[in-house]
Amino acid sequence: VDLTGFERLLTARGQAVLAEATEADLTESGLLATATKLRERYPAELVAAALTQARLRLRARDKFGADADRMYFTPAGLEQSTRASVAAYRARRFAAHGPVLELGCGIGADLLARVRAGAGGTAVDRDPLTAAVARANLAAFGLSERASVRVADAAGQDPRGYAAVFADPGRRTARGRVFDPKAYEPPLDTVLALAGQAPAACVKVAPGIPHEAVPAAAEAEWISVRGEVKEAALWLGELSGPVRRRATLIGAGDEPVTLTPGTSEPPPVRGWGRYLYEPDGAVIRAGLVADVAAATGGGLIDEQIAYVTADAHVPTPFAAAYAIEDVRPFSLKDLRAELRRREVGTLTLKKRGSAVDLDRLRRDLRQHHRGGAELTVVLTRVGRAPVMVLAHPIKPAKPAKPATR
Ligand SMILES: C[S@@+](CC[C@H](N)C(=O)[O-])C[C@H]1O[C@@H](n2cnc3c(N)ncnc32)[C@H](O)[C@@H]1O
């Protein structure tokens, strides 16, 4: 869909066909019949634009929930957009820091969240279709008065007059996924230079950003959603907090939890205890494994590997906990025999610091376990010695429900 096609979709007629398309059969097998029927009453191009949009909305539900049904997308814009839970969490810090200048707003997921949190302003995107989509998204929620979207290059923007700058540079370009911050679009250096001209700023970067690339004055926050690390945010100026590193975990709907450095001591290295803790990826990226060790009274089994072992089970949202049944040198033969002996039907394999190919191991073990028992096998190493830990996950306790009167 090009810009003209998208603008037609926003007319009364376009909205009528979009409404019908949204209600129609959009499955692979039903799509052709839906298109044929709609084309009896609407121009083919408009039908194509509406069907594309309706299908993108379905795909977007995972990121945006019910809002997806009112939003507009481009395929690349949806792909690059920040999921609503993360955008809303990040937007909270902006509440007292408007107006905001956003450099490269995409379809406007972060923009919507900030405006909803009370920080309006101006957003630019160099791609005219993407900018039009962001504008339509503001309008869809009645927020057009509170922010504006312009087609412009980020590099030419003047942050003066804004309380804060926000940027989420593209990391998937025409050449594929880029890792070098200089290859971000706009490049990280350009964005940081502009951010430095505002009293406050936040720049979203890849979670793999090396700690050396984080500006010394920034607070870096790694964010994971349901255990998957999604991004890092660099908070600058008045938006940066009292800590330099932070790991924030966003769950299925609970309030996010955040971990900041509490200890400057490196974690002790020790022998196996009764429990194994697997820190969340955001905790590892933020370099806060020592804090999980301190919180659980445990230590590392190998100083290179981010597994914590301890004698006690101390529930923490920052690590998955396992009760250890046995730790043995890694041996395929021994593992097969053990699975048979224990009548393991459901096997979970995990690894860290192990060279074993888990997919291959899973195939190699398939014939060797049947039964009703469950087992988690964690492959790791202590020094150079490969080991297998036989364990059972400890389900996190549900937070106590507030008393009702
Ligand atoms: C990762 S996306 C932003 C996604 C947005 N945060 C969201 O959640 O919807 C980056 C955007 O920056 C835009 N962009 C890239 N280089 C730019 C530049 N030099 N000036 C303005 N926009 C640019 C791209 O067109 C793209 O839409």
Side-chain angles (χ1 to χ4, degrees):
V1 177
D2 60 7
L3 180 56
T4 321
F6 179 68
E7 281 167 347
R8 281 201 197 111
L9 204 56
L10 300 178
T11 62
R13 200 154 186 237
Q15 292 292 296
V17 60
L18 180 56
E20 283 189 48
T22 308
E23 297 295 317
D25 183 354
L26 296 170
T27 58
E28 286 301 332
S29 53
L31 196 61
L32 191 63
T34 299
T36 310
K37 244 166 107 191
L38 287 172
R39 273 195 231 115
E40 287 167 9
R41 285 171 296 123
Y42 300 102
E45 270 181 35
L46 196 58
V47 170
L51 289 175
T52 304
Q53 204 51 245
R55 277 166 61 94
L56 285 169
R57 284 179 171 180
L58 283 183
R59 249 168 58 200
R61 277 192 190 157
D62 174 50
K63 274 188 174 178
F64 299 101
D67 278 357
D69 296 348
R70 294 163 71 184
M71 291 172 72
Y72 296 92
F73 302 97
T74 62
L78 170 57
E79 181 89 356
Q80 295 195 312
S81 60
T82 305
R83 66 174 48 239
S85 57
V86 179
Y89 165 74
R90 191 176 25 241
R92 288 190 208 164
R93 267 208 224 194
F94 279 92
H97 291 273
V100 181
L101 170 64
E102 177 164 1
L103 307 166
C105 65
I107 56 106
D110 283 297
L111 174 65
L112 276 180
R114 275 196 321 276
V115 173
R116 283 171 162 168
T122 307
V124 301
D125 201 286
R126 69 174 174 192
D127 178 54
L129 172 59
T130 305
V133 170
R135 217 175 279 130
N137 282 332
L138 284 175
F141 296 97
L143 300 170
S144 304
E145 302 290 304
R146 314 229 314 253
S148 61
V149 181
R150 283 191 286 115
V151 179
D153 195 310
Q157 299 308 301
D158 183 355
R160 278 176 298 182
Y162 292 95
V165 162
F166 175 75
D168 169 15
R171 292 178 265 128
R172 273 175 222 143
T173 68
R175 296 182 304 282
R177 194 185 274 263
V178 297
F179 296 99
D180 179 4
K182 287 193 179 61
Y184 285 7
E185 293 184 349
L188 186 58
D189 291 351
T190 307
V191 164
L192 288 176
L194 288 163
Q197 294 173 38
C202 176
V203 179
K204 175 176 155 183
V205 293
I209 188 167
H211 284 210
E212 310 83 76
V214 174
E219 172 193 330
E221 178 174 31
W222 280 264
I223 295 184
S224 67
V225 178
R226 278 173 253 149
E228 203 178 313
V229 192
K230 294 290 182 189
E231 60 169 70
L234 308 180
W235 296 98
L236 296 147
E238 291 171 8
L239 276 171
S240 87
V243 292
R244 301 274 64 88
R245 287 173 288 136
R246 179 189 291 278
T248 298
L249 281 53
I250 298 179
D254 321 325
E255 189 56 16
V257 288
T258 193
L259 182 67
T260 55
T263 173
S264 51
E265 296 294 316
V269 174
R270 52 161 286 167
W272 291 102
R274 289 179 56 206
Y275 297 91
L276 171 73
Y277 295 89
E278 181 188 27
D280 184 275
V283 171
I284 297 174
R285 296 277 194 182
L288 296 172
V289 173
D291 290 272
V292 168
T296 56
L300 301 184
I301 198 67
D302 181 298
E303 63 180 7
Q304 305 290 329
I305 296 173
Y307 279 139
V308 169
T309 185
D311 299 321
H313 175 230
V314 182
T316 163
F318 300 108
Y322 296 85
I324 297 178
E325 289 206 355
D326 204 355
V327 182
R328 302 169 177 221
F330 175 69
S331 143
L332 183 58
K333 198 167 152 234
D334 186 16
L335 182 53
R336 279 179 178 153
E338 198 59 25
L339 295 181
R340 273 197 302 266
R341 191 180 71 74
R342 290 171 180 257
E343 298 183 357
V344 172
T346 310
L347 174 67
T348 305
L349 291 174
K350 296 186 151 277
K351 73 164 192 173
R352 186 161 288 163
S354 159
V356 173
D357 174 346
L358 288 193
D359 287 334
R360 194 162 159 204
L361 179 63
R362 216 167 269 127
R363 281 197 302 275
D364 286 349
L365 292 171
R366 199 171 294 150
Q367 304 306 323
H368 296 270
H369 62 98
R370 284 197 190 95
E374 291 182 27
L375 188 68
T376 297
V377 176
V378 180
L379 304 179
T380 186
R381 62 177 169 80
V382 180
R384 287 187 173 178
V387 296
M388 51 189 196
V389 182
L390 312 188
H392 287 287
I394 302 175
K395 294 226 163 50
K398 288 246 178 303
K401 285 214 175 96
T404 45
R405 276 184 227 179

